Amino acid sequence: MLDSQAIFGAGGREAQDAWMKERLADPRFRNTIPVFHVSPYSSSIVHPDDGDPIRLSWNYLFEAANVPLVVSGHFHHYERLNANGITYVVSGGGSSTLYAKGGSLPESQLYVPRTHFVLLEIHQDRIELSAIAREGDTFDQSTITLN
């Protein structure tokens, strides 16, 4: 779990970044899944640029470490994206207000404004991802191969 608010001036950024760099460089944690609030990507019509500071500050670290998956929220919808071989999931569908889609990012694979949760089943060689609506139906599934 990372505190994305540190990038926006909440404090503790240097210590957190140093810890994250050390962790991502350690081969024992080769399949680390970063989880934090503000997503680096969103096709939402509502504050779509909020993730730019996250993307500029952290994505290169995730790419260098071959992180398989990044999970975040902030934007009130579900979106699965792929950028430079990393799956990014926006799981912000717990709000009573859902965000409409704005311009679709080229990285976006699926955008769904639904109340939902995400189930991750982690295996030795893969992560099975399922997005499940409040009503119980699965509206997205993806398999992420682990290195």
Side-chain angles (χ1 to χ4, degrees), residues 74-109:
H74 185 62
F75 301 99
H76 299 186
H77 65 272
Y78 171 84
E79 188 168 12
R80 181 169 43 82
L81 308 102
N82 189 292
N84 298 321
I86 299 173
T87 299
Y88 290 85
V89 171
V90 178
S91 181
S95 174
S96 62
T97 304
L98 299 171
Y99 294 168
K101 186 176 183 181
S104 186
L105 296 175
E107 297 85 1
S108 185
Q109 297 180 319

Side-chain angles (χ1 to χ4, degrees), residues 113-127:
R114 288 186 78 178
T115 302
H116 69 278
F117 68 93
V118 174
L119 173 66
L120 299 176
E121 297 180 66
I122 301 173
H123 304 272
Q124 287 290 97
D125 61 340
R126 71 194 184 287
I127 300 170

Side-chain angles (χ1 to χ4, degrees), residues 2 4 22 34 46 66 83 102 106 108-109 116 126 131 138 140:
L2 299 171
S4 58
E22 180 181 316
V46 180
N66 294 313
S108 185
Q109 297 180 319
H116 69 278
R126 71 194 184 287
T138 300
D140 188 32

Side-chain angles (χ1 to χ4, degrees), residues 8-89:
F8 298 98
R13 180 174 179 180
E14 286 143 17
Q16 177 178 245
D17 284 358
W19 174 85
M20 180 174 49
K21 288 174 185 176
E22 180 181 316
R23 178 88 174 203
L24 291 174
D26 190 328
R28 294 176 298 161
F29 304 110
R30 66 183 175 86
N31 289 318
T32 293
I33 301 170
V35 179
F36 47 89
H37 181 69
V38 180
S39 177
Y41 297 98
S42 174
S43 297
S44 169
I45 197 166
V46 180
H47 48 75
D49 299 328
D50 280 7
D52 291 352
I54 304 291
R55 188 168 51 251
L56 295 171
S57 296
W58 288 348
N59 280 23
Y60 77 95
L61 296 170
F62 302 152
E63 291 167 11
N66 294 313
V67 165
L69 172 65
V70 174
V71 179
S72 54
H74 185 62
F75 301 99
H76 299 186
H77 65 272
Y78 171 84
E79 188 168 12
R80 181 169 43 82
L81 308 102
N82 189 292
N84 298 321
I86 299 173
T87 299
Y88 290 85
V89 171

